[in-house]
């Protein structure tokens, strides 16, 4: 994790701060009502920083209206037009995301940096594998981890030349191994906070796999200060899955960890449907625990008595199916037996009574 810390609208990134979860709106930013609605949904899911595309003057016009109705910092995503960056800063954006290489000539970049300095907001320097500078591509012959890291460092130095160091850096690729290698190089060369993710990860299911491997590997290597899971899906799904990644690498404890067995020939219950219903019913309870930040729970859904209280004895609460009946258990001890159709209701009641 980075040693430098920046403040994004009250959310601290780097310098030992908890890893923050980000997402990006996919509404037309010019539609303030729709954008606010989506951001509030992201907030409820646990998003801590949100980014929105600012691509024309109308986007800038509605930014103050959007910002006034949300409760998390907003990052203005800018490409090519430095005037939009200046306008977004003046409109109240808590951070801007730019690629210095496509902002234009040096004086235009200077103007953006001076505005950020005046308003004391950070700049996210974003580089990805699809937009590497031609000289770097020529140097390495193709997109490489070394080239991505070099591009990021070059862009950081461009802004440092204007005596500004409130920066977050991101380098993203859709290639998981390339992404990992590039981050390892970058982390060895800079102390700025690093925003991690896998860009263009894909659809909900495929994107989750790539993100879990790519982001999880970086976090386990101690790299990353803020993160976004990028999915071709409802942005709320990005936030929910980001929390799952952080919990599973041990960086967030609050909430509910659901475990379930893979089933076998002994299973006499539709465990897939049972586990899915438990997962759905646990969501509001997990969010309640996350918001309190006080404790975490492990809940188990098992297919039979063999994989029930014994194998899942570390679970705080759990159920195991049978043939028309099932067991409720807690910490490996059987609580009671109930009919199969009451298993989920009884499990939820037991959990609610203890949180």
């Amino acid at each position: 994790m980075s040693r430098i810390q920046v403040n994004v609208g009250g959310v601290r990134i780097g310098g030992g701060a908890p890893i923050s979860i980000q997402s990006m709106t996919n509404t037309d930013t010019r539609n303030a009502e729709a954008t606010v609605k989506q951001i509030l949904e992201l907030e409820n899911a646990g998003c801590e920083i949100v980014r929105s595309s600012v691509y024309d003057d109308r986007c800038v016009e509605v930014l103050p209206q959007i910002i006034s109705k949300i409760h998390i910092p907003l990052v203005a995503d800018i490409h090519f037009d430095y005037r939009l960056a200046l306008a977004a800063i003046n409109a109240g954006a808590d951070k801007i995301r730019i690629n210095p290489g496509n902002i234009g000539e040096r004086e235009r970049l200077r103007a953006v940096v001076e505005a950020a300095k005046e308003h004391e907001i950070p700049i996210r320097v974003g580089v990805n594998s699809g937009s590497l500078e031609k000289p770097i591509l020529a140097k390495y012959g193709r997109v490489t981890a070394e080239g991505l890291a070099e591009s990021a460092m070059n862009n950081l130095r461009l802004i440092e030349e204007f005596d500004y160091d409130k920066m977050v850096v991101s380098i993203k690729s859709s290639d998981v191994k390339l992404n990992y290698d590039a981050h390892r190089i970058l982390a060895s060369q800079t102390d700025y906070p690093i925003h991690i993710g896998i860009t263009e990860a894909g659809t909900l299911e495929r994107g989750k796999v790539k993100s879990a491997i790519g982001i999880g590997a970086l976090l386990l290597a101690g790299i990353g200060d803020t993160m976004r899971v990028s999915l071709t899906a409802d942005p709320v799904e990005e936030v929910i899955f980001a929390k799952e990644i952080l919990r599973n690498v041990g960086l967030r404890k609050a909430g509910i960890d659901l475990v379930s067995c893979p089933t076998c020939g002994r299973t006499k219950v539709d465990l897939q449907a049972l586990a899915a219903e438990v997962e759905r019913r646990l969501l509001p309870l997990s969010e309640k625990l996350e918001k309190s930040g006080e404790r975490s729970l492990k809940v188990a859904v098992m297919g039979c008595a063999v994989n029930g209280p014994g194998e899942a004895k570390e679970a705080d609460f759990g159920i195991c199916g049978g043939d028309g009946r099932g067991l409720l258990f807690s910490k490996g001890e059987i609580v009671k037996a109930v009919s199969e159709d009451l298993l989920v209701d009884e499990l939820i009641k037991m959990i609610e009574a203890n949180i």
Side-chain angles (χ1 to χ4, degrees):
M1 311 302 176
S2 72
R3 291 192 288 272
I4 294 174
Q5 186 176 90
V6 301
N7 186 338
V8 182
V11 176
R12 297 189 179 277
I13 300 177
I19 295 171
S20 51
I21 294 173
Q22 302 197 26
S23 186
M24 187 171 185
T25 57
N26 60 13
T27 56
D28 184 340
T29 308
R30 296 171 297 186
N31 185 335
E33 183 178 354
T35 302
V36 167
K37 180 177 182 294
Q38 187 170 77
I39 293 173
L40 294 178
E41 291 170 352
L42 288 167
E43 288 181 16
N44 287 332
C47 184
E48 291 154 323
I49 300 172
V50 68
R51 180 161 49 110
S52 292
S53 296
V54 175
Y55 45 86
D56 65 16
D57 292 337
R58 177 59 183 162
C59 292
V60 174
E61 287 177 21
V62 302
L63 270 186
Q65 181 182 343
I66 294 170
I67 292 168
S68 71
K69 295 179 179 178
I70 64 175
H71 312 92
I72 58 177
L74 185 141
V75 181
D77 190 83
I78 313 291
H79 284 280
F80 307 115
D81 193 338
Y82 84 104
R83 294 169 300 179
L84 290 176
L86 296 175
I89 292 171
N90 288 325
D94 296 290
K95 183 171 78 170
I96 58 167
R97 187 270 190 186
I98 61 172
N99 181 338
N102 70 28
I103 283 294
E105 61 192 46
R106 179 180 174 84
E107 289 310 307
R108 292 181 176 181
L109 179 59
R110 181 196 295 274
V112 173
V113 174
E114 291 300 328
K117 188 184 301 186
E118 179 183 348
H119 289 78
E120 297 185 331
I121 67 166
I123 296 173
R124 174 182 155 193
V125 176
V127 174
N128 65 54
S129 58
S131 61
L132 274 184
E133 300 92 326
K134 290 181 180 179
I136 289 180
L137 284 174
K139 176 179 178 180
Y140 293 99
R142 57 187 174 85
V143 176
T144 64
E146 293 80 6
L148 278 171
E150 183 175 326
S151 175
M153 291 304 299
N154 288 345
N155 283 301
L156 289 171
R157 293 186 187 109
L158 279 175
I159 294 176
E160 285 178 332
E161 288 177 9
F162 303 121
D163 193 29
Y164 200 61
D165 63 359
K166 289 182 171 59
M167 287 185 282
V168 177
V169 60
S170 68
I171 49 173
K172 292 186 179 181
S173 171
S174 58
D175 182 313
V176 172
K177 179 65 165 59
L178 175 65
N179 194 74
Y180 179 78
D181 291 341
H183 278 85
R184 289 293 298 267
I185 296 169
L186 180 67
S188 71
Q189 295 177 347
T190 184
D191 286 327
Y192 286 113
I194 299 176
H195 175 124
I196 61 173
I198 301 294
T199 191
E200 301 158 0
T203 57
L204 187 60
E205 295 307 317
R206 293 178 65 85
K208 282 183 175 181
V209 172
K210 293 180 76 169
S211 296
I213 298 168
I215 296 173
L218 288 171
L219 292 172
L220 288 171
I223 298 170
D225 301 283
T226 186
M227 61 181 278
R228 179 198 173 190
V229 172
S230 299
L231 300 173
T232 308
D234 183 337
V236 168
E237 296 285 351
E238 298 182 349
V239 176
I240 293 171
F241 194 61
K243 292 192 292 186
E244 284 297 309
I245 292 174
L246 288 172
R247 274 198 291 266
N248 279 282
V249 297
L251 291 172
R252 288 205 180 187
K253 297 297 184 184
I256 296 177
D257 180 20
L258 175 65
V259 298
S260 59
C261 75
T263 75
C264 68
R266 289 186 296 266
T267 306
K268 304 300 182 185
V269 64
D270 185 352
L271 194 69
Q272 184 174 343
L274 192 66
E277 184 182 356
V278 171
E279 184 176 46
R280 179 181 62 81
R281 297 276 296 274
L282 286 178
L283 189 57
L285 298 179
S286 184
E287 290 174 354
K288 178 180 177 181
L289 286 177
E290 286 170 8
K291 288 176 181 177
S292 71
E294 294 177 357
R295 61 185 295 207
S296 61
L297 293 176
K298 178 172 283 190
V299 175
V301 179
M302 312 303 283
C304 67
V306 172
N307 288 334
E311 209 166 292
K313 62 184 177 182
E314 78 283 359
D316 296 286
F317 305 102
I319 55 176
C320 59
D323 192 0
R325 292 181 67 76
L327 299 175
L328 280 87
F329 58 89
S330 176
K331 295 292 187 181
E333 299 295 327
I334 295 173
V335 176
K336 63 179 177 179
V338 299
S339 64
E340 183 181 310
D341 61 333
L342 295 177
L343 267 176
V344 177
D345 287 340
E346 291 296 319
L347 173 66
I348 298 301
K349 286 180 185 177
M350 185 166 63
I351 296 172
E352 288 177 332
N354 287 274
I355 62 174

